[in-house]
Amino acid sequence: MSTNGAYPIDRIRADFPILSEQVRGKPLVYLDNGASAQKPSAVIEQISRTYETEYANVHRGVHYMSQMATDAMEAARVKAQEFLNAADEKEVIFVRGATEGINLVASSWGRANLKPGDEIILSVLEHHSNIVPWQMIAEQTGAIIKVVPIDDAGEFLVDEYEKLLSPRTKMVAVTHVSNALGTVVPVKEVIRLAKAQGSAVLLDGCQAVPHIPVDVQALDVDFYVFSGHKLYGPSGIGVLYGKQALLEAMPPYQGGGEMIDRVTFEKTTYAELPFKFEAGTPHIAGIIALGTAIDYLNGIGFDAIAAHEHDLLTYATDQLSAMNTIDIVGTAADKAAILSFNIKDVHPHDVGTILDHDGIAVRTGHHCAQPVMDRFDVAATVRASFGLYNTRDEVDVLVSGIKRVQEMFA
Amino acid sequence: MSTDLRDLYQEIILEHSRKPKNAGVLEDPTAEAQGNNPLCGDRITVYVKLDGDRIEDARFDARGCAISVASASMMTESLKGKTLDEAEEAFGRFNTQMTGKEAPELAEDDELSALMGVRDFPTRIKCATLPWHTLRAALKGAGDTQITTE
Ligand SMILES: Cc1ncc(COP(=O)(O)O)c(C=O)c1O
């Protein structure tokens, strides 16, 4: 099954219990990693281990178990810090996921910094969760949203972006990798140009972190968000990275326990970072297991993962391009392992149902990125998104599935 | 319960989806409504022309899957010439058959029964019912009504 001599694909697949499940009597072929990735045993077992051996509420009790849980959670924060190469662990805020991270920044940073006529730049590639929070804050503050277009290949148009930038630009919020098309956005350039105009930058790293090593200091990005569940970790947990000076100047997002220094009815003072932004009891077991997922990925190594996934993407793209009734949507030069396509005259939903019959899980629909669909004038696409455990054999199963669809609708 | 694909994609459904009846915009409709399935981004507009309380003509304009297009095609075919009360009754019957707990009793000659295979594919039931909900919105609202399946 190996696609690359050195890559330990058999061992990796054995790490993911769900991959040996059958779907409708067929082996599961899981190609919906862009929506959510499956979990290795290490992560699954860590969740039980937390509840079995080191669980209590965090940052509260003086008792042994509370201290154990707090230490484990804070150790995970350091893992996330190292994962993003953040300067300080205080800059790592645990949130429910990317959606909550973006809402936090839009709301807290936005309320403090946006005035009528200020501009926020997004791109056509954005997931709805990097559009709607900005529309909400723009409505409240009188700020204006500008949108960077893409070309027919799905490439982010840097020239057009440059034209939109001005001293009025206060925030540039774009995705690092497009979830609908796989396009890798030239974020280094995006950030450099934004900084030249004095704008802050938020990157949505949901689809980037499973495939690309990220260094927030080298990027000089102000805010970076990702969700744990796409990174082979639990759902319900994610990370917001923010530069310390910016986070310190921002008002809290939610009020409650954990985020306070001292509360009286006259005045409340807030806790230091990161706790100022972590009101309430967090997803303790989830945070600890996210740390385990990061360890797991580091154990394989991003170079190996990237090479493996690139091989799968190239192999799948070649196979599908050779079928003349297939339209690949998104053909950027630099792509993560995401392949969106349509079969001529067959609606993606019908494709999805038929592939599901062969045990193949793909996403069909607009991928929460309707502006991308509108750009290509399609209602939806079929999206195969590859993960570190997929194989060329699975691509072959996908190709036979597509042939079955074509026969059925011929 | 059979979840065979051929029960879903019966020849008659594929036929209707390839060559839908009553597809396209109806000029001067008495009523129209737009339906959306936010899950898949599908959109349909249903137009009706009434003669008194009788449906003289019904057409639809859709961007959708085989199931929703076939459903719209069969629906518009079956409703021409019906009264508003009869249309409401047909909607109720179809909706119950599609979403009810018990397997529906069907008249053999009812073309719509071909769609009952959808019952075994829960994620696709909304595809079949969207045209009907949209039609109903058109008949009820008579105007620029918008509905969604969510
Ligand atoms: C690019 C991108 N941004 C944001 C999100 C939202 O992530 P979550 O639903 O985990 O908050 C997703 C996930 O679908 C995504 O792919």
Side-chain angles (χ1 to χ4, degrees):
Chain A
M1 271 223 254
S2 177
T3 48
N4 154 348
Y7 193 74
I9 185 70
D10 294 336
R11 199 201 73 214
I12 288 171
R13 288 186 65 83
D15 287 338
F16 290 80
I18 207 167
L19 297 181
S20 45
E21 287 294 303
Q22 303 253 312
V23 172
R24 306 180 197 289
K26 312 262 173 56
L28 169 65
V29 174
Y30 190 76
L31 303 178
D32 196 16
N33 296 285
S36 201
Q38 300 297 348
K39 321 302 172 199
S41 303
V43 167
I44 299 166
E45 286 160 12
Q46 179 58 61
I47 291 172
S48 332
R49 191 155 56 243
T50 297
Y51 289 125
E52 283 166 10
T53 66
E54 55 181 17
Y55 183 78
N57 209 331
V58 289
H59 300 297
R60 292 184 189 183
V62 293
H63 59 80
Y64 176 82
M65 277 300 171
S66 178
Q67 196 53 51
M68 288 284 283
T70 304
D71 290 351
M73 171 171 151
E74 292 310 313
R77 196 186 306 274
V78 174
K79 287 176 192 178
Q81 176 206 342
E82 290 167 356
F83 182 66
L84 296 175
N85 193 34
D88 195 302
E89 63 193 81
K90 288 204 225 30
E91 299 177 318
V92 173
I93 316 286
F94 287 119
V95 287
R96 270 197 306 131
T99 300
E100 190 178 49
I102 297 166
N103 274 281
L104 190 161
V105 176
S107 168
S108 167
W109 179 91
R111 268 183 290 135
N113 292 282
L114 292 173
K115 295 184 301 300
D118 284 350
E119 294 179 359
I120 301 165
I121 295 184
L122 312 176
S123 86
V124 168
L125 293 171
E126 301 320 308
H127 187 279
H128 296 165
S129 63
N130 198 30
I131 300 174
V132 185
W134 298 111
Q135 289 174 326
M136 287 161 62
I137 196 68
E139 176 115 330
Q140 286 169 37
T141 58
I144 295 159
I145 292 176
K146 303 267 165 162
V147 184
V148 182
I150 55 175
D151 68 10
D152 291 343
E155 302 269 17
F156 180 97
L157 292 170
V158 176
D159 289 359
E160 298 296 323
Y161 165 60
E162 237 181 311
K163 287 186 210 154
L164 294 177
L165 278 166
S166 80
R168 289 186 302 279
T169 311
K170 291 294 173 332
M171 171 60 81
V172 173
V174 296
T175 195
H176 192 166
V177 169
S178 154
N179 70 310
L181 306 177
T183 309
V184 179
V185 172
V187 291
K188 197 119 203 172
E189 185 69 354
V190 166
I191 294 164
R192 191 182 63 76
L193 292 165
K195 295 283 144 179
Q197 297 288 349
S199 174
V201 179
L202 175 141
L203 292 183
D204 173 356
C206 269
Q207 300 292 338
V209 288
H211 311 289
I212 305 173
V214 173
D215 181 335
V216 291
Q217 291 188 79
L219 286 170
D220 191 26
V221 67
D222 298 300
F223 300 103
Y224 198 95
V225 298
F226 70 86
S227 294
H229 67 97
K230 296 179 200 275
L231 194 69
Y232 310 93
S235 63
I237 191 67
V239 166
L240 161 65
Y241 158 83
K243 280 187 186 160
Q244 187 169 344
L246 288 170
L247 291 174
E248 268 167 1
M250 283 157 56
Y253 176 53
Q254 294 180 330
E258 202 102 46
M259 54 75 74
I260 49 87
D261 174 30
R262 178 167 164 73
V263 176
T264 67
F265 280 107
E266 287 69 44
K267 181 168 174 61
T268 292
T269 50
Y270 304 123
E272 298 281 307
L273 290 175
F275 308 111
K276 180 169 94 176
F277 290 108
E278 292 182 354
T281 301
H283 183 7
I284 300 164
I287 291 171
I288 298 168
L290 174 59
T292 309
I294 291 173
D295 288 342
Y296 181 81
L297 288 170
N298 287 334
I300 301 174
F302 269 97
D303 288 348
I305 294 171
H308 176 71
E309 291 178 348
H310 186 258
D311 174 75
L312 290 174
L313 178 67
T314 311
Y315 181 69
T317 305
D318 289 350
Q319 300 276 310
L320 265 61
S321 307
M323 304 168 90
N324 53 15
T325 55
I326 290 199
D327 240 341
I328 294 179
V329 184
T331 48
D334 191 6
K335 271 180 68 170
I338 290 172
L339 190 54
S340 251
F341 61 93
N342 272 314
I343 303 180
K344 192 169 177 299
D345 296 332
V346 189
H347 189 280
H349 257 77
D350 297 314
V351 179
T353 295
I354 296 168
L355 293 180
D356 177 55
H357 234 70
D358 286 339
I360 306 166
V362 291
R363 174 85 183 266
T364 58
H366 54 59
H367 318 296
C368 298
Q370 281 180 328
V372 178
M373 300 296 113
D374 291 344
R375 170 63 178 76
F376 288 95
D377 198 23
V378 294
T381 70
V382 183
R383 180 187 71 183
S385 50
F386 303 99
L388 54 85
Y389 40 60
N390 290 123
T391 64
R392 282 187 175 211
D393 289 354
E394 291 180 310
V395 174
D396 293 341
V397 175
L398 173 67
V399 169
S400 330
I402 291 171
K403 288 187 178 143
R404 233 156 89 84
V405 174
Q406 290 170 326
E407 280 157 24
M408 198 148 207
F409 278 83
Chain B
M1 185 181 87
S2 157
T3 54
D4 197 278
L5 277 178
R6 276 289 162 200
D7 290 346
L8 180 64
Y9 295 108
Q10 296 182 28
E11 205 39 58
I12 179 165
I13 290 181
L14 294 175
E15 199 45 45
H16 272 280
S17 80
R18 279 186 207 112
K19 295 196 200 85
K21 306 247 171 67
N22 312 308
V25 178
L26 179 64
E27 299 301 331
D28 298 326
T30 319
E32 65 178 272
Q34 236 198 48
N36 289 308
N37 183 345
L39 209 65
C40 55
D42 284 355
R43 285 199 283 262
I44 180 169
T45 308
V46 174
Y47 307 90
V48 281
K49 184 170 265 168
L50 296 176
D51 176 12
D53 81 335
R54 201 166 281 283
I55 298 175
E56 190 187 314
D57 200 2
R59 298 185 74 78
F60 73 99
D61 192 21
R63 189 167 79 168
C65 63
I67 306 300
S68 67
V69 169
S71 176
S73 170
M74 292 176 184
M75 175 187 81
T76 45
E77 256 326 73
S78 75
L79 287 179
K80 281 194 234 176
K82 295 250 162 53
T83 65
L84 292 177
D85 285 347
E86 286 166 344
E88 179 63 21
E89 194 194 288
F91 166 81
R93 199 167 50 236
F94 183 77
N95 205 37
T96 325
Q97 285 171 349
M98 209 37 102
T99 58
K101 293 219 165 26
E102 317 231 318
E105 280 178 37
L106 295 166
E108 277 295 312
D109 59 345
D110 187 354
E111 208 187 40
L112 289 171
S113 68
L115 278 166
M116 290 304 138
V118 179
R119 284 172 53 92
D120 293 335
F121 295 80
T123 56
R124 305 300 303 279
I125 289 173
K126 282 175 180 164
C127 309
T129 55
L130 179 64
W132 284 87
H133 282 287
T134 310
L135 168 90
R136 195 157 178 246
L139 293 179
K140 288 240 144 104
D144 52 351
T145 322
Q146 282 249 7
I147 70 132
T148 75
T149 55
E150 292 297 282

